[in-house]
Amino acid sequence: MAAAVLFAAAVAGCSPGGGHTAGSVRSGSAAAAPPAASIVTGPGPKDRYEVQPQPAPGSCHYRHTADQQPLPDPACTPGAISPAVSQANLKDTICKPGGYTSTIRPPANITGKEKAENAKSYAYTGPLADAEYDHLISLQLGGDPNDPRNLWVEPPSPGHVPGKGPNNPKDTVETHLHTAICKGQITLAAAQQAIATDWTTAEGRLAVGTGSAPTPAPDADGD
């Protein structure tokens, strides 16, 4: 019931009339300590995906860290996990030899339409090719493939070269956490909570090493 209420609130708009939502900071300002993410459970992988409704235009507001890394609006994008992935079945899902995420990823003809509408939700006006339609809790961390509460148009990070496509350091964080999960160093739930709360602090919160990025699995995704 709680998940259903949260979904309805997000799709209807993070705040009535596109107003500023509690706990979020308007784009361009430094984010205070982010609120705890209210992660929900999505519908999980499907044989056939459908375009999902997005929050109302202008109703979601980016937050930014002190060094201007982008964070989503927790009211619009709290993160959603897949019911198909659990601590008990890691070896058969996200840690499966040969890869897992490519088997559950929604096709581009679905996510492309969602991305265009979600850009309106977040009032993103830059080139869509320079922004990533990002799973807040990535597929390699057991995130839900197509729940709108787990996807947002993530704008470029500092240092981005216009026209060069996304530059997303969050991808490396996700790969580090995925490796730590599969090595038994951290739990699935801890990684999901940390990445949903603030991807820029997730490794530090979980004491995961931040050396060079490990070699990703064949289908490890950065979204």
Side-chain angles (χ1 to χ4, degrees):
M1 178 65 71
V5 172
L6 183 57
F7 173 74
V11 172
C14 297
S15 59
H20 188 49
T21 52
S24 66
V25 178
R26 288 192 183 277
S27 178
S29 59
S38 300
I39 299 174
V40 297
T41 300
K46 295 184 177 181
D47 292 332
R48 181 177 181 275
Y49 290 101
E50 297 181 354
V51 175
Q52 296 300 299
Q54 303 298 313
S59 63
C60 306
H61 304 283
Y62 291 117
R63 297 174 296 131
H64 288 85
T65 63
D67 58 354
Q68 293 302 298
Q69 293 290 359
L71 301 173
D73 188 327
C76 293
T77 317
I81 59 175
S82 169
V85 179
S86 69
Q87 189 68 36
N89 70 5
L90 294 177
K91 292 183 179 180
D92 296 319
T93 54
I94 63 171
C95 301
K96 181 180 179 180
Y100 169 73
T101 65
S102 65
T103 67
I104 63 167
R105 187 185 302 280
N109 67 313
I110 296 293
T111 57
K113 295 175 183 177
E114 294 172 347
K115 180 179 183 180
E117 292 304 307
N118 189 265
K120 298 176 185 177
S121 302
Y122 273 92
Y124 175 78
T125 57
L128 281 180
D130 283 346
E132 184 172 328
Y133 190 46
D134 186 53
H135 290 93
L136 179 59
I137 303 173
S138 69
L139 300 186
Q140 63 174 327
L141 298 180
D144 193 87
N146 201 40
D147 191 310
R149 296 166 294 185
N150 195 44
L151 284 152
W152 62 303
V153 171
E154 182 175 4
S157 287
H160 176 260
V161 178
K164 294 294 186 179
N167 68 324
N168 190 357
K170 178 172 175 282
D171 294 349
T172 298
V173 174
E174 293 164 351
T175 300
H176 282 142
L177 296 185
H178 174 262
T179 298
I181 291 170
C182 295
K183 287 184 175 180
Q185 297 170 343
I186 59 175
T187 66
L188 176 68
Q192 292 171 335
Q193 185 67 57
I195 200 78
T197 299
D198 183 341
W199 67 265
T200 69
T201 63
E203 291 178 276
R205 289 163 64 95
L206 299 176
V208 172
T210 57
S212 60
T215 302
D219 67 344
D221 67 299
D223 59 4

Short mmCIF file of all heavy atoms in Angstrom, two decimals, residues 43 58 61 76 79 101-102 117 122 163 166 170 175 181-182 203:
data_model
loop_
_atom_site.label_atom_id
_atom_site.label_comp_id
_atom_site.label_asym_id
_atom_site.label_seq_id
_atom_site.Cartn_x
_atom_site.Cartn_y
_atom_site.Cartn_z
N PRO A 43 7.86 -3.71 -10.19
CA PRO A 43 7.25 -4.92 -10.77
C PRO A 43 8.25 -5.97 -11.23
O PRO A 43 7.89 -7.13 -11.41
CB PRO A 43 6.44 -4.38 -11.95
CG PRO A 43 7.15 -3.12 -12.33
CD PRO A 43 7.65 -2.53 -11.04
N GLY A 58 8.14 19.77 -14.85
CA GLY A 58 8.61 20.78 -13.91
C GLY A 58 8.41 20.45 -12.44
O GLY A 58 8.71 21.28 -11.58
N HIS A 61 13.04 18.33 -9.08
CA HIS A 61 14.12 19.31 -8.98
C HIS A 61 15.43 18.63 -8.65
O HIS A 61 15.53 17.90 -7.66
CB HIS A 61 13.79 20.36 -7.91
CG HIS A 61 12.49 21.06 -8.15
ND1 HIS A 61 12.33 22.05 -9.10
CD2 HIS A 61 11.27 20.89 -7.59
CE1 HIS A 61 11.07 22.47 -9.11
NE2 HIS A 61 10.41 21.77 -8.20
N CYS A 76 10.55 12.30 -6.43
CA CYS A 76 10.23 11.77 -7.76
C CYS A 76 10.97 10.47 -8.05
O CYS A 76 10.43 9.57 -8.70
CB CYS A 76 10.61 12.78 -8.83
SG CYS A 76 9.65 14.30 -8.82
N GLY A 79 14.13 5.55 -5.96
CA GLY A 79 14.76 4.26 -6.22
C GLY A 79 13.77 3.13 -6.04
O GLY A 79 12.91 3.17 -5.16
N THR A 101 22.28 -8.41 -16.69
CA THR A 101 21.48 -7.22 -16.93
C THR A 101 20.99 -7.10 -18.37
O THR A 101 19.92 -6.54 -18.62
CB THR A 101 22.24 -5.94 -16.54
OG1 THR A 101 23.39 -5.78 -17.39
CG2 THR A 101 22.70 -6.01 -15.10
N SER A 102 21.76 -7.59 -19.33
CA SER A 102 21.32 -7.48 -20.72
C SER A 102 20.05 -8.28 -20.99
O SER A 102 19.33 -8.00 -21.95
CB SER A 102 22.43 -7.94 -21.67
OG SER A 102 22.70 -9.32 -21.49
N GLU A 117 10.15 12.36 -21.83
CA GLU A 117 9.14 12.85 -20.90
C GLU A 117 9.73 13.16 -19.53
O GLU A 117 9.35 14.13 -18.88
CB GLU A 117 8.00 11.83 -20.77
CG GLU A 117 7.17 11.68 -22.03
CD GLU A 117 6.59 13.02 -22.50
OE1 GLU A 117 5.94 13.71 -21.67
OE2 GLU A 117 6.81 13.38 -23.67
N TYR A 122 11.95 16.92 -15.00
CA TYR A 122 13.07 17.57 -14.32
C TYR A 122 13.43 18.93 -14.93
O TYR A 122 14.41 19.55 -14.52
CB TYR A 122 14.29 16.67 -14.34
CG TYR A 122 14.34 15.70 -13.17
CD1 TYR A 122 13.79 14.43 -13.27
CD2 TYR A 122 14.93 16.05 -11.96
CE1 TYR A 122 13.83 13.53 -12.20
CE2 TYR A 122 14.98 15.18 -10.89
CZ TYR A 122 14.44 13.92 -11.02
OH TYR A 122 14.48 13.04 -9.95
N GLY A 163 28.36 17.76 -26.33
CA GLY A 163 28.32 16.99 -27.57
C GLY A 163 29.05 15.67 -27.52
O GLY A 163 29.03 14.92 -28.49
N PRO A 166 27.13 11.38 -22.38
CA PRO A 166 27.21 11.44 -20.92
C PRO A 166 28.63 11.20 -20.40
O PRO A 166 29.40 10.44 -20.98
CB PRO A 166 26.27 10.31 -20.48
CG PRO A 166 25.37 10.07 -21.65
CD PRO A 166 26.21 10.33 -22.86
N LYS A 170 29.13 8.06 -11.72
CA LYS A 170 28.29 7.15 -10.95
C LYS A 170 28.44 5.72 -11.45
O LYS A 170 28.32 4.76 -10.66
CB LYS A 170 26.83 7.60 -11.05
CG LYS A 170 25.81 6.71 -10.32
CD LYS A 170 24.44 7.37 -10.34
CE LYS A 170 23.37 6.49 -9.73
NZ LYS A 170 22.92 5.42 -10.66
N THR A 175 29.87 -0.09 -10.34
CA THR A 175 30.68 -1.28 -10.61
C THR A 175 31.47 -1.70 -9.38
O THR A 175 31.58 -2.90 -9.09
CB THR A 175 31.64 -1.01 -11.79
OG1 THR A 175 30.87 -0.69 -12.95
CG2 THR A 175 32.48 -2.24 -12.10
N ILE A 181 29.55 -6.65 -3.65
CA ILE A 181 28.43 -7.55 -3.36
C ILE A 181 28.79 -8.98 -3.74
O ILE A 181 28.60 -9.92 -2.96
CB ILE A 181 27.16 -7.11 -4.13
CG1 ILE A 181 26.62 -5.79 -3.60
CG2 ILE A 181 26.07 -8.19 -4.05
CD1 ILE A 181 25.52 -5.20 -4.47
N CYS A 182 29.29 -9.15 -4.95
CA CYS A 182 29.57 -10.50 -5.45
C CYS A 182 30.74 -11.16 -4.72
O CYS A 182 30.86 -12.38 -4.74
CB CYS A 182 29.81 -10.45 -6.95
SG CYS A 182 28.34 -9.96 -7.90
N GLU A 203 30.37 4.69 -1.61
CA GLU A 203 31.56 3.88 -1.35
C GLU A 203 32.12 4.17 0.04
O GLU A 203 32.51 3.24 0.76
CB GLU A 203 32.61 4.14 -2.42
CG GLU A 203 32.22 3.59 -3.78
CD GLU A 203 33.27 3.89 -4.83
OE1 GLU A 203 33.25 5.01 -5.40
OE2 GLU A 203 34.12 3.02 -5.08
#
